[in-house]
Amino acid sequence: MGKPLVYEILEKPASSSVIGICSLIWFFIQKRNIGYGDVGLSYEAAMEGGQYWRIITSAFSHISVVHLVFNMSALWSLGVVEQLGQIGLGVEYYLHYTLVLVVLSGLLVLGFYHMMIQKFKVEYFRRVTAVGYSCVVFGWMTILATKQPSSKLNLFGVLSLPISFAPFESLIFTSIMVPQASFIGHLSGIIVGYSIAWGLIHGMNNYWAITMLGWIVLVFVLSLKRTGSMELRFIEVEPVTDPSLPSVGVVASRNGRTLQMDVVPRRGVADIV
């Protein structure tokens, strides 16, 4: 007989909180009939439309209940990281590097999209939209596989995988269960996970975590305001223009026409994948 659920929640406070947040967001999305294009991350919306807030919203949003259950089940099992303070992990480590995984895996996804669009001319990746916590889940699988290779990953309480192979086994399992699963998103999480586990990304502490969180909140709020995605009356963003520069456009005059410049930013349009 296992421990009561309340004790397990107390032993995994960070994982339990993330599971609660993702579940509440999923409920809100279903209630409001929100789609992939509203919260997901796409190259067109983020890089061309300036909607950088999507890096965060896409990570914590799930449209499919199967996707939510898979990610949260895996995350619950990976919560063992919070109990491994004796090998340099623990709750603080978990919180610090979850922040890193959310941001860097999202940026890496955009980097892959940029390469596919600009280098290989695959326009499909301009509008493909990614949602879900899978990047972070695969990142933690990779870190745990490197730091504690003897661990097991339990999915749905019935399937147990050796953690050393879990990232790649889970990639196959997810592709079968959720055909729309993002290979690039999962791969990005694995790459960032190995970068953390091998010490290529290191040095996170409370100071840097709080500083990073502050910048994330600032960019999130300002990009929401700038793209008109949220009405924030207490924030005014000045347009980055030089009033001394001429503008181009056609304006009628008595002797003909004059040119006037007016640059209008192009908005990205996200499609459902």
Side-chain angles (χ1 to χ4, degrees), residues 192-214:
V192 177
Y194 275 125
S195 299
I196 294 169
W198 291 342
L200 301 177
I201 299 172
H202 64 281
M204 283 293 287
N205 53 36
N206 289 337
Y207 171 79
W208 289 115
I210 292 170
T211 301
M212 186 177 180
L213 182 60

Side-chain angles (χ1 to χ4, degrees), residues 4-273:
L5 180 61
V6 65
Y7 288 112
E8 292 203 46
I9 290 173
L10 291 174
E11 289 178 348
K12 306 174 182 178
S15 303
S16 301
S17 298
V18 172
I19 290 170
I21 290 168
C22 288
S23 300
L24 286 173
I25 291 173
W26 174 83
F27 180 78
F28 179 80
I29 284 172
Q30 300 303 312
K31 198 76 173 175
R32 294 297 183 91
N33 198 29
I34 295 172
Y36 290 95
D38 299 313
V39 293
L41 179 65
S42 71
Y43 183 88
E44 188 175 46
M47 301 306 295
E48 298 174 355
Q51 299 175 13
Y52 307 120
W53 50 267
R54 289 177 178 270
I55 293 173
I56 305 302
T57 59
S58 63
F60 294 94
S61 301
H62 297 79
I63 308 300
S64 163
V65 67
V66 174
H67 193 194
L68 173 72
V69 171
F70 173 81
N71 279 348
M72 296 305 102
S73 175
L75 187 63
W76 178 257
S77 182
L78 291 166
V80 68
V81 171
E82 299 181 60
Q83 304 167 18
L84 296 174
Q86 69 275 12
I87 62 169
L89 303 181
V91 177
E92 278 193 9
Y93 183 94
Y94 185 90
L95 290 171
H96 293 166
Y97 287 100
T98 290
L99 199 61
V100 173
L101 281 165
V102 168
V103 175
L104 291 191
S105 60
L107 292 175
L108 191 55
V109 166
L110 291 174
F112 275 122
Y113 288 169
H114 180 81
M115 181 180 67
M116 296 303 295
I117 295 165
Q118 302 298 331
K119 182 72 174 178
F120 299 102
K121 309 301 179 184
V122 183
E123 287 297 313
Y124 165 78
F125 289 97
R126 189 177 298 277
R127 291 192 171 190
V128 66
T129 305
V131 294
Y133 205 67
S134 301
C135 291
V136 182
V137 168
F138 275 77
W140 277 118
M141 282 184 197
T142 305
I143 293 169
L144 191 59
T146 306
K147 300 282 190 180
Q148 190 83 349
S150 60
S151 298
K152 296 280 187 179
L153 178 70
N154 295 307
L155 297 175
F156 312 113
V158 294
L159 182 62
S160 181
L161 303 174
I163 194 65
S164 54
F165 300 107
F168 306 101
E169 291 173 339
S170 298
L171 184 59
I172 296 170
F173 182 76
T174 308
S175 299
I176 295 171
M177 294 296 294
V178 187
Q180 293 176 323
S182 170
F183 176 81
I184 287 179
H186 297 164
L187 179 62
S188 297
I190 291 171
I191 291 172
V192 177
Y194 275 125
S195 299
I196 294 169
W198 291 342
L200 301 177
I201 299 172
H202 64 281
M204 283 293 287
N205 53 36
N206 289 337
Y207 171 79
W208 289 115
I210 292 170
T211 301
M212 186 177 180
L213 182 60
W215 279 107
I216 290 170
V217 171
L218 182 63
V219 172
F220 184 91
V221 172
L222 290 180
S223 64
L224 271 176
K225 174 69 177 178
R226 181 175 174 272
T227 58
S229 304
M230 178 180 287
E231 188 67 26
L232 300 172
R233 298 183 182 278
F234 59 92
I235 295 178
E236 291 297 332
V237 179
E238 294 293 334
V240 185
T241 57
D242 188 344
S244 65
L245 295 175
S247 59
V248 174
V250 178
V251 180
S253 68
R254 282 189 298 178
N255 298 325
R257 292 185 294 182
T258 51
L259 288 177
Q260 190 173 30
M261 183 179 294
D262 187 15
V263 180
V264 179
R266 180 174 174 269
R267 294 289 181 92
V269 178
D271 286 342
I272 294 176
V273 176

